[in-house]
Amino acid sequence: MKNYLDLKDIYTLFETVQKSEIFEDQKMMADLVPRFNISEIIKMYENKKDSPDFVLKDFILQNFIVSESVKDEMMLQKKSLAIDKHIEKLWDELTRVASENKGTLLMLPKPYIVPGGRFNEFFYWDSYFIMLGLQCSGRLEMMKNIVENCSYLIENFGFVPNASRSYFLSRSQPPYFSIMLDLIFETTNDKDIYIKYFETMQKEYEFWMDGSEKTDEGCAVKRVVKTKSGDILNRYYDDENKPRPESYMIDVKDAKISENPEFFRNIRAACESGWDFSSRWFKDGETIQNIQTLDFAQVDLNCLLWHLESTLSKTAKLTGDPDLEKKYGDFAVKRKYNIQKYFWDHEDGIYKDFDFQNNKVTPSEHIAALYPLFFELSTKHQAEDVAENIVDKFLKPGGLVTTTKESGQQWDLPNAWAPYQWIGFVAMKNYNFDDIASKIKNNWCSNVERVYENTGKLMEKYNAMDIHSIAGGGEYPNQDGFGWTNGVYSKLKRSK
């Protein structure tokens, strides 16, 4: 029986508040914690809402606790703390415990690290990049806590939600769980970590592959795509086709302009990718109203699922199960072949997403093209072509940008995000492009250090082209804190 707040249970009140836009950031209403029994609050609302002296915002603040954004409590110490010391202290500042459900916040069995700013909950793929920094700090216990929290969510919900909020229970994020286990193994050299979470990995795999038996050629069911040639790929998806609670009115206003009956699901699918939002998803490459995430199989997702399949095969071998070893091994071999078949653009020499509706790669050039190199799935020739594209189009004075198009969306030019600095660095090192790897590291780390020197903050994202300004774009202001920036910066500074 659920004991967290399901926004469906207060939907009339919730919708009224969001439409009134009484909070500048609509995530605030989605994160409210009831002061009293929720049925009593709803009853009071129904009795009072038509009174001439009724003030909606006052009623909300009287009956709910508003969660504040995570503050960087050490800003005042910025002149006395070197950046590495600052990050070390931030791990404690960003640590949370959720031993019970509060409002929409889901209970988790272990402490965890939040990103910072408006993000005061456990996020899935953020946590892998946070773990990189925890590894540098020797915080193995917290690394194991993160893995255990992911396992708890998979065991209880069948997947790791986008974040630990009840309103995220219709979607996940890029599946990093098996790579998290690699990081634990790298730190401890204990193969038992794979055996311990073998069934958990299987359950997550089943989530991503749900619908594979029901998919017709050229069609998709949930997160599974069957191409016109009958091959299985995966896409990002969301179980619901309605406005996001945390961005309700933004979605409502955009949907009025869009003619797509699945506009909301396309928006939510982009959120599952972590790239919310980018021209990568737009039919015209320009406007969010033309979003078509659901029409694509994505190169990053399929590489991550190749890793999960490979890890399942490897773990089955450890457990002495040759049938499962072969089963998952065959899946991994086939997926590797399909990654080359469907995502490689021979003409442009780069990996792209696959538009299964039109049976061709998408036009967008984006930094997720690095995933096949990150996992060493590319040939030497392909890696050379990708590296050339990276230098010519993506590597800027402040780090790697995410796309080659400036749209005003935060996952587009000119912004550089921490995850892709690490993915880019490792991808280049894997194929011995050491000079490029060093430039990625030095350009981005110098940008982080400059902003820290000027502001005392570590930011969610950075402007890679104008290194004298701070990044922007998207639905909300640039956040500080910031979990994955702290983690990637720490790891890169220690990497050669």
Side-chain angles (χ1 to χ4, degrees):
M1 180 179 176
K2 66 185 183 186
N3 56 355
Y4 52 79
L5 175 61
D6 188 334
L7 293 176
K8 296 185 183 76
D9 296 336
I10 61 164
Y11 197 73
T12 300
L13 173 58
F14 175 80
E15 188 177 41
T16 300
V17 172
Q18 297 297 59
K19 285 183 175 179
S20 72
E21 299 185 79
I22 58 177
F23 296 116
E24 184 176 352
D25 184 351
Q26 293 210 314
K27 191 176 186 297
M28 290 182 70
M29 182 61 192
D31 294 352
L32 291 178
V33 178
R35 296 181 186 272
F36 316 107
N37 183 284
I38 197 66
S39 60
E40 294 177 7
I41 295 175
I42 296 300
K43 187 176 180 179
M44 281 192 289
Y45 170 69
E46 292 297 331
N47 290 337
K48 293 181 178 182
K49 67 179 182 179
D50 296 324
S51 301
D53 60 346
F54 180 76
V55 179
L56 182 60
K57 187 171 185 178
D58 289 347
F59 177 83
I60 294 299
L61 295 178
Q62 288 164 7
N63 290 281
F64 294 88
I65 300 169
V66 179
S67 298
E68 299 239 343
S69 292
V70 181
K71 306 295 184 184
D72 183 345
E73 301 295 343
M74 292 171 298
M75 272 188 60
L76 296 177
Q77 304 177 42
K78 66 178 182 178
K79 293 184 179 179
S80 61
L81 279 180
I83 189 170
D84 57 335
K85 298 279 198 306
H86 181 83
I87 289 172
E88 190 62 39
K89 287 183 174 290
L90 270 176
W91 294 133
D92 295 325
E93 295 289 334
L94 296 173
T95 296
R96 298 289 181 273
V97 176
S99 55
E100 60 183 26
N101 299 307
K102 290 186 178 180
T104 58
L105 187 68
L106 302 176
M107 188 277 282
L108 290 172
K110 300 291 184 179
Y112 54 95
I113 308 288
V114 300
R118 72 200 285 265
F119 304 112
N120 199 11
E121 55 272 304
F122 176 91
F123 274 80
Y124 186 8
W125 80 314
D126 292 61
S127 294
Y128 170 77
F129 299 98
I130 286 169
M131 286 174 68
L132 295 173
L134 296 175
Q135 184 188 48
C136 295
S137 293
R139 298 184 182 228
L140 177 60
E141 183 179 0
M142 182 60 82
M143 293 172 67
K144 289 182 175 180
N145 288 344
I146 287 171
V147 168
E148 185 62 21
N149 284 330
C150 287
S151 176
Y152 170 84
L153 291 166
I154 293 169
E155 293 301 325
N156 282 272
F157 299 106
F159 65 102
V160 183
N162 185 146
S164 58
R165 294 278 179 186
S166 61
Y167 56 81
F168 287 135
L169 289 174
S170 59
R171 66 175 179 266
S172 185
Q173 271 194 330
Y176 267 78
F177 185 69
S178 60
I179 315 179
M180 291 178 176
L181 300 186
D182 282 355
L183 204 55
I184 298 290
F185 173 69
E186 178 187 310
T187 309
T188 64
N189 202 35
D190 184 1
K191 292 182 179 178
D192 287 345
I193 192 72
Y194 297 108
I195 298 171
K196 179 178 180 180
Y197 293 109
F198 183 46
E199 291 182 1
T200 307
M201 285 190 284
Q202 287 181 297
K203 188 168 286 189
E204 182 175 43
Y205 186 66
E206 289 167 3
F207 166 80
W208 288 98
M209 300 309 295
D210 184 23
S212 58
E213 302 300 321
K214 309 170 188 174
T215 316
D216 296 326
E217 292 180 359
C219 299
V221 173
K222 296 185 179 180
R223 292 164 178 82
V224 177
V225 170
K226 184 176 282 188
T227 69
K228 292 179 180 179
S229 300
D231 294 314
I232 294 293
L233 298 171
N234 288 80
R235 66 172 181 174
Y236 293 112
Y237 185 76
D238 189 293
D239 294 338
E240 296 188 348
N241 187 32
K242 59 177 68 171
R244 293 168 295 153
E246 73 279 16
S247 302
Y248 185 90
M249 283 308 297
I250 294 172
D251 288 356
V252 168
K253 291 173 183 177
D254 284 335
K256 287 181 179 179
I257 303 172
S258 175
E259 297 179 354
N260 189 337
E262 287 213 310
F263 173 79
F264 298 126
R265 200 190 307 275
N266 275 281
I267 285 285
R268 287 164 167 263
C271 293
E272 183 168 85
S273 79
W275 286 50
D276 44 342
F277 295 98
S278 168
S279 60
R280 176 184 180 185
W281 311 128
F282 303 162
K283 187 175 183 179
D284 61 0
E286 302 289 342
T287 54
I288 197 167
Q289 292 82 11
N290 288 295
I291 193 167
Q292 58 177 136
T293 322
L294 295 172
D295 292 343
F296 306 153
Q298 293 87 9
V299 61
D300 46 352
L301 174 58
N302 283 274
C303 288
L304 287 162
L305 289 173
W306 169 86
H307 184 274
L308 178 52
E309 290 163 342
S310 299
T311 306
L312 284 166
S313 179
K314 175 178 68 178
T315 308
K317 184 176 182 179
L318 292 174
T319 64
D321 191 328
D323 292 338
L324 281 181
E325 179 189 355
K326 184 179 187 307
K327 173 187 171 182
Y328 291 118
D330 288 348
F331 287 156
V333 169
K334 182 64 174 174
R335 188 168 313 255
K336 180 178 179 179
Y337 175 81
N338 285 336
I339 286 168
Q340 300 292 9
K341 179 178 178 180
Y342 290 103
F343 300 110
W344 178 248
D345 186 331
H346 294 271
E347 186 175 335
D348 290 341
I350 195 168
Y351 293 94
K352 297 179 179 179
D353 298 321
F354 179 69
D355 180 346
F356 64 89
Q357 297 286 3
N358 294 301
N359 204 36
K360 62 181 182 180
V361 292
T362 64
S364 176
E365 292 183 321
H366 52 76
I367 203 68
L370 286 167
Y371 271 85
L373 282 71
F374 181 74
F375 289 117
E376 299 184 76
L377 298 173
S378 301
T379 65
K380 185 172 184 283
H381 175 69
Q382 287 173 320
E384 289 170 350
D385 285 350
V386 172
E388 184 177 341
N389 269 296
I390 291 299
V391 172
D392 290 347
K393 300 176 181 178
F394 293 90
L395 183 53
K396 306 298 180 183
L400 291 173
V401 293
T402 45
T403 70
T404 57
K405 181 177 284 289
E406 189 166 7
S407 69
Q409 298 295 334
Q410 64 175 353
W411 282 89
D412 274 327
L413 197 79
N415 290 342
W417 292 76
Y420 285 96
Q421 315 311 309
W422 177 247
I423 290 170
F425 177 82
V426 173
M428 294 299 103
K429 295 292 285 186
N430 283 344
Y431 290 87
N432 299 314
F433 302 122
D434 292 349
D435 288 346
I436 303 174
S438 294
K439 286 178 182 176
I440 293 169
K441 167 187 171 178
N442 294 332
N443 288 14
W444 185 75
C445 287
S446 296
N447 202 3
V448 171
E449 290 162 357
R450 174 189 60 80
V451 172
Y452 176 71
E453 182 64 27
N454 291 335
T455 67
K457 297 180 179 182
L458 290 116
M459 309 301 291
E460 179 189 22
K461 54 187 178 283
Y462 291 83
N463 189 317
M465 298 186 69
D466 180 0
I467 58 172
H468 299 292
S469 67
I470 293 176
E475 297 178 346
Y476 55 85
N478 198 357
Q479 303 296 298
D480 63 88
F482 194 86
W484 62 18
T485 298
N486 308 342
V488 171
Y489 175 84
S490 298
K491 185 70 172 178
L492 279 175
K493 290 297 283 188
R494 289 165 175 78
S495 299
K496 295 182 180 179

